[in-house]
Amino acid sequence: MSVKKWCAALFVGVMLSTTLASAAEAAIEVSGDAYVGIYDKYLWRGIDFSAGQPVLQGGADVSFKGFTLGFWSNMQLSHGGSDALDSGEVTETDIVLDYTFSPVDGLAVSLGNITYTFNIEDSATNEGYLGFALDALLSPNLMVYYDWDDEEGFYYTLDISHGFALADSLDLNLSGLVSYSAQSPAVFADDGSDFSDWSTYELGLSLDYAVTDQIVISPSFLWSDTLSDDAEDVGMLEDEILAGVSVSLNF
């Protein structure tokens, strides 16, 4: 898929989501967002999937009564000398179905499934997840992922975050995350072996500038590194820096 086709498809998706949300708003309570961003690499769970080259990422979400349907895609902007990564190629497309509810005040529980489609390998897998988020100091959030399709294995994350209002329409967000891999997909190891140990930690910083009530520009910076000797020995996990900027439309 070319850059023009990818941008056109994303634009159509955004317009369709906005139109459907607007048409249904009078009868049912629908919300959502659409976003696009440029980043210096594609970093996923501490692994660089774009050979250190810039990427274009975008997606959209539509929510209704606790259910959310999401779409996300990654496009390679430079091949970086890798034969497997062509400039202007969409390397991955994900579909997320989520249901979030609050059984008690201050606790949000999320159940969902992520369908990963890897276009360069013409393959796909599915990962279910369960999440627990507390409405408390630092907003702790525990996530448990299980790949039940192609590569069976668990992956756990615990993250915290806090936001500060710097000025009108400008917020600073700080975040931290630790992860644990329990026989996670073999992509984590160069030799294809399983890996069970503390995996990585992440420290993030971002700014949200609200251009309007619906449009937000967000430059961001993230530092990721290994948490254990086993993780360092995996081969594909090492210290990484991710920087980028995104624009989102909320409706």
Side-chain angles (χ1 to χ4, degrees), residues 54-69:
V55 295
L56 184 67
Q57 298 178 346
D61 306 290
V62 176
S63 301
F64 169 65
K65 291 189 178 297
F67 289 94
T68 299
L69 177 63

Side-chain angles (χ1 to χ4, degrees), residues 107-233:
L107 173 65
V109 179
S110 298
L111 296 165
N113 187 81
I114 308 171
T115 300
Y116 300 91
T117 302
F118 307 105
N119 303 328
I120 59 175
E121 299 177 358
D122 194 23
S123 62
T125 191
N126 282 275
E127 187 177 60
Y129 64 82
L130 173 64
F132 303 91
L134 290 177
D135 183 11
L137 180 65
L138 300 181
S139 304
N141 181 39
L142 173 66
M143 297 293 298
V144 180
Y145 300 89
Y146 179 69
D147 188 316
W148 54 267
D149 188 359
D150 185 45
E151 300 283 353
E152 295 186 359
F154 283 95
Y155 191 80
Y156 307 85
T157 64
L158 175 63
D159 66 86
I160 57 175
S161 61
H162 191 71
F164 304 88
L166 299 181
D168 290 343
S169 305
L170 182 64
D171 294 332
L172 169 66
N173 305 296
L174 302 177
S175 64
L177 177 147
V178 294
S179 63
Y180 186 91
S181 170
Q183 294 186 335
S184 59
V187 68
F188 278 86
D190 285 337
D191 59 2
S193 61
D194 288 332
F195 163 63
S196 297
D197 205 339
W198 290 101
S199 185
T200 60
Y201 70 89
E202 297 177 356
L203 299 175
L205 179 153
S206 66
L207 288 171
D208 290 339
Y209 174 65
V211 181
T212 69
D213 291 340
Q214 292 182 300
I215 300 175
V216 178
I217 300 175
S218 303
S220 60
F221 177 87
L222 184 142
W223 179 35
S224 172
D225 202 355
T226 54
L227 264 175
S228 64
D229 291 337
D230 286 344
E232 190 172 352
D233 293 339

